[in-house]
Amino acid sequence: NYPNPFNPVTSISFTVPVTTPATLDIFNILGMKVATVFNGMAQAGRNDVVWNGTGDDGHAVASGIYFYRLKTAAFEQTRKMVLMK
């Protein structure tokens, strides 16, 4: 993601070789899912998703360490990011 650390918006980019169903979820440091920022068909090539620091409930999340997980049928990867207010 860029920028990292971020406040209040970050862009998460990922590349897939073929069009495939994908999900991109955000988790807090306790492992609780706070947001799903992408859930659908990821196009072959580069995909960009913007997260504005809010949870699925629409409220801003607290400053801290978060993890984003990209999951497809053939691939799963988790990375760390920091929200600083």
Side-chain angles (χ1 to χ4, degrees), residues 12-75:
I12 302 169
S13 300
F14 61 93
T15 304
V16 291
V18 295
T19 300
T20 184
T23 58
L24 184 63
D25 296 315
I26 310 292
F27 297 88
N28 65 18
I29 194 76
L30 300 175
M32 298 168 43
K33 184 171 80 166
V34 296
T36 298
V37 293
F38 183 84
N39 186 10
M41 293 299 287
Q43 299 300 313
R46 182 182 168 124
N47 294 265
D48 295 304
V49 178
V50 174
W51 184 46
N52 61 1
T54 60
D56 282 341
D57 62 1
H59 293 95
V61 298
S63 295
I65 297 172
Y66 291 87
F67 298 92
Y68 59 95
R69 181 183 68 193
L70 172 65
K71 193 173 190 180
T72 68
F75 180 79

